[in-house]
Amino acid sequence: MGKKKRKKIIKKVIKLTFCLILIALLSVSIYFIIDIGNEIKGSDVKGEEVTFEIVSGDSASSVTSKLKELGLIKYENIFKFLSRMENLERNIQIGTYVINLGSSYEEIFDLLKSNTTYRDSVRITFTEGSEIKDIFATLVANGIGTMDRYEQVAKGWDFGYSFLPEIGTENRLEGFLYPDTYDFFVDEKEESVIKRFLDNFNKKMTDAGLWEKISQSGETIYDTLKLASIIEKESQYGPELAKISSVFHNRLDIRMMLQSDATVNYILDKEDRYSSISSTTMAIDNPYNTYKYYGLTPTPICNPSIQSITAAVEPEDTEYLYFCSKGDGSHVFAFTYEEHLQNVKKYLG
């Protein structure tokens, strides 16, 4: 092939490459122009409500950053440019707002300049190990929703999370409502309230890397939460959670009953919950009674902390089969039943 011919081919390749790059850039530009236009215009079908707060000292720029973090806008620089045209810096109002995902820029600007959506709110702290019925009762006592609606939503609402048990499952959300401090609007819908718990649960699990750890363990998320909830109820003393977990893992490995008093307490009526566990109680014919039924409970028995979930996934490497309360919040551990009886006699009389 001659040099002239090669040069012609190279020129054609360069031209073709340039054209392809130009087309690609043009296509990307058109996509972004359309996407930006759609965001500015907003969606006809609005998404879920997002709580948004503007405090003293917030500027139009910091407000824009908050809006992006909450997923209310994607194009921060475009919003900043248009906010200057709207004179948002001078007109922005301090307060609490509720903005729907998919709102147009005009709707957001009008909202931020008027603050007509203020709603009374209440802050509630739920302790680690809280049971779902107690969480719902606390919400209702604070004027947020009704018990009937919470139970209906918990059993039959699709929250969009694949880790949840199937819709209709009895006691479906026990274990998934992460105990924490929350700010709720007093007129907030029950499904929105529960979604907050589930979103927080998912975030805590993600931040702790627990989704991957559970996957690597070969266990299901549901079985992990069942065990974690039992660990949570047996002890709140952090340094020994993994050791308590090892006891239950060791028992499961040799098909030994878990024999957890916490699971029996879950069965009892609230007024009897703190009574001593008697031999009659042990005979209660209920699948939650781990003195009578082998294996884990049908569902978690509370909503555990990340520490207890981690302990369930990563038990300490021991051969312990027993533990006994020392009366100070901690426990003493034993390899054999004889050792365990000696510990019971020493610490419990």
Side-chain angles (χ1 to χ4, degrees):
M1 183 185 296
K3 290 183 178 179
K4 289 184 179 180
K5 195 171 183 180
R6 277 202 301 269
K7 286 182 179 179
K8 285 182 180 181
I9 292 173
I10 291 172
K11 286 181 179 180
K12 286 182 179 179
V13 171
I14 292 173
K15 287 181 180 179
L16 179 60
T17 303
F18 178 76
C19 289
L20 290 174
I21 293 173
L22 191 62
I23 292 170
L25 290 174
L26 185 60
S27 298
V28 171
S29 298
I30 292 172
Y31 167 79
F32 278 111
I33 290 171
I34 293 173
D35 198 46
I36 291 170
N38 288 336
E39 178 169 291
I40 293 173
K41 183 179 66 174
S43 173
D44 292 334
V45 180
K46 296 296 187 287
E48 65 178 279
E49 293 181 341
V50 176
T51 305
F52 180 75
E53 188 174 10
I54 297 176
V55 298
S56 178
D58 274 343
S59 63
S61 180
S62 63
V63 167
T64 302
S65 296
K66 287 183 180 181
L67 290 169
K68 185 176 182 180
E69 288 174 7
L70 291 170
L72 289 161
I73 63 171
K74 286 194 295 184
Y75 301 102
E76 193 170 351
N77 289 332
I78 300 295
F79 189 88
K80 283 181 179 178
F81 174 75
L82 293 177
S83 69
R84 284 195 290 271
M85 295 178 64
E86 290 285 333
N87 206 12
L88 187 63
E89 190 76 59
R90 293 186 178 182
N91 295 313
I92 196 167
Q93 298 292 311
I94 294 172
T96 303
Y97 301 81
V98 179
I99 306 176
N100 289 89
L101 293 175
S103 294
S104 68
Y105 280 17
E106 183 179 0
E107 289 170 329
I108 296 174
F109 289 141
D110 288 346
L111 206 57
L112 297 181
K113 290 190 290 186
S114 65
N115 191 21
T116 58
T117 60
Y118 178 79
R119 293 149 71 185
D120 289 332
S121 62
V122 60
R123 175 167 292 185
I124 308 174
T125 298
F126 300 91
T127 57
E128 295 166 340
S130 296
E131 295 175 25
I132 193 168
K133 63 183 182 60
D134 296 326
I135 289 176
F136 288 164
T138 299
L139 289 165
V140 172
N142 280 272
I144 307 168
T146 66
M147 184 62 76
D148 287 344
R149 181 59 180 165
Y150 278 122
E151 291 175 351
Q152 181 184 6
V153 171
K155 189 172 183 178
W157 196 267
D158 181 8
F159 294 97
Y161 282 120
S162 60
F163 57 73
L164 293 176
E166 292 182 5
I167 289 176
T169 302
E170 199 64 36
N171 205 23
R172 176 175 170 238
L173 298 186
E174 189 79 271
F176 295 96
L177 302 191
Y178 195 79
D180 208 340
T181 298
Y182 296 87
D183 291 308
F184 299 106
F185 293 114
V186 293
D187 62 346
E188 194 164 347
K189 293 181 179 179
E190 290 85 350
E191 51 267 32
S192 173
V193 170
I194 294 177
K195 184 72 160 50
R196 294 233 210 151
F197 283 96
L198 296 176
D199 289 345
N200 194 21
F201 170 81
N202 185 49
K203 184 178 186 303
K204 297 285 187 183
M205 293 286 287
T206 301
D207 290 347
L210 281 168
W211 292 122
E212 184 178 355
K213 290 178 181 179
I214 291 172
S215 177
Q216 292 173 348
S217 74
E219 299 293 336
T220 66
I221 174 60
Y222 207 34
D223 280 350
T224 300
L225 286 180
K226 291 174 188 178
L227 180 55
S229 69
I230 296 173
I231 295 170
E232 182 74 44
K233 283 295 190 179
E234 288 288 357
S235 177
Q236 285 78 50
Y237 183 51
E240 69 178 19
L241 295 179
K243 191 174 290 185
I244 285 180
S245 176
S246 75
V247 171
F248 291 130
H249 274 279
N250 292 340
R251 287 186 167 223
L252 289 170
D253 287 344
I254 62 174
R255 294 195 63 80
M256 182 179 178
M257 297 284 191
L258 293 185
Q259 295 181 319
S260 166
D261 291 358
T263 66
V264 178
N265 280 333
Y266 191 72
I267 304 167
L268 301 176
D269 293 333
K270 197 158 189 175
E271 60 269 21
D272 299 326
R273 180 154 299 177
Y274 300 103
S275 64
S276 60
I277 307 296
S278 66
S279 57
T280 303
T281 302
M282 302 309 181
I284 295 175
D285 190 8
N286 188 296
Y288 285 90
N289 187 352
T290 55
Y291 282 87
K292 188 174 181 63
Y293 287 86
Y294 166 77
L296 297 167
T297 48
T299 72
I301 62 172
C302 71
N303 294 276
S305 64
I306 283 297
Q307 290 75 22
S308 290
I309 301 173
T310 301
V313 180
E314 299 178 330
E316 193 171 312
D317 186 12
T318 79
E319 295 181 2
Y320 291 126
L321 289 174
Y322 303 90
F323 61 86
C324 168
S325 173
K326 295 169 66 175
D328 61 357
S330 64
H331 294 78
V332 60
F333 296 80
F335 298 101
T336 67
Y337 186 59
E338 290 71 23
E339 288 177 314
H340 177 61
L341 289 179
Q342 291 176 7
N343 289 333
V344 171
K345 184 177 180 180
K346 178 180 179 180
Y347 291 101
L348 302 181

